[in-house]
Amino acid sequence: MTSVLFASGAAPNTICRASTRPCRRCASVAVRPFTSSRRAPAAPRNVTANFFRFGKNGFKAEDAGIVGSQGRDDYTYDDVEQYFNYMGFLATEGTYDRMEAMLKSGLHCIDIILLLACSENDTPKVQEILKAGADPTVRGLDGKEPLELATKPELINMLKEALTTKKGVAV
């Protein structure tokens, strides 16, 4: 353990030794007051919690603008980048090369997110963007459709339903 020498202002030419446990005589080292590991009981506070109510007695999440409020053309490059980062593609791949290649290929941003979400079996995101107008027939750079990328049964059923009703394709 190394110690540090400080010149004290208490007496001229006096040198104090400060280590990890400074002495109280040393005026140049700030000494932290002792506090016990027990905390004093906190004074009672009046705390109120206000929650936004959804559902029957409140608003739907879509009406509140939380989920599903975007349309097909509201999705931009930033949304693709945020989803790419959120799902950890950047961490595993190390670059944005695949995302940039998809964007340069002319695919719509929402369709890129659909392909990425299907490859990760992200059911809530797929449901959200199909409702916003993603195209379930889009093909990625590898030529695969979202239905070929998905492996979860519930996600496959959702995509099949979107394909049969064309509910995912914006008019």
Side-chain angles (χ1 to χ4, degrees):
M1 196 185 295
T2 61
S3 59
V4 181
L5 296 176
F6 289 102
S8 173
N13 302 327
T14 306
I15 296 177
C16 297
R17 186 174 292 272
S19 64
T20 55
R21 294 176 58 183
C23 66
R24 294 188 185 270
R25 291 185 313 240
C26 182
S28 63
V29 177
V31 179
R32 196 176 89 187
F34 174 76
T35 57
S36 71
S37 59
R38 291 176 115 189
R39 288 187 161 181
R45 301 180 310 172
N46 292 330
V47 178
T48 59
N50 298 318
F51 296 100
F52 190 79
R53 293 175 26 186
F54 295 102
K56 188 171 116 181
N57 297 323
F59 295 97
K60 293 182 182 176
E62 294 168 7
D63 295 340
I66 295 172
V67 175
S69 63
Q70 290 180 299
R72 180 176 174 86
D73 292 328
D74 294 329
Y75 285 85
T76 64
Y77 173 91
D78 290 336
D79 295 310
V80 175
E81 183 179 7
Q82 287 174 4
Y83 190 75
F84 195 81
N85 291 334
Y86 172 73
M87 292 307 291
F89 290 112
L90 180 61
T92 57
E93 296 178 16
T95 65
Y96 287 107
D97 291 346
R98 182 165 62 128
M99 182 188 80
E100 293 292 339
M102 292 174 93
L103 286 164
K104 287 179 183 174
S105 71
L107 291 172
H108 195 282
C109 294
I110 195 170
D111 296 331
I112 294 171
I113 297 172
L114 177 64
L115 291 165
L116 295 172
C118 286
S119 69
E120 291 295 312
N121 290 304
D122 187 356
T123 306
K125 190 65 171 180
V126 171
Q127 184 177 18
E128 175 190 334
I129 59 180
L130 281 175
K131 195 169 195 176
D135 183 6
T137 62
V138 69
R139 290 190 181 274
L141 298 176
D142 56 0
K144 292 185 179 179
E145 291 184 355
L147 189 58
E148 296 170 301
L149 296 171
T151 57
K152 276 173 78 174
E154 65 184 82
L155 185 55
I156 292 171
N157 290 337
M158 184 187 313
L159 288 166
K160 284 181 179 177
E161 181 183 332
L163 285 168
T164 58
T165 61
K166 298 291 184 192
K167 143 172 116 172
V169 181
V171 182

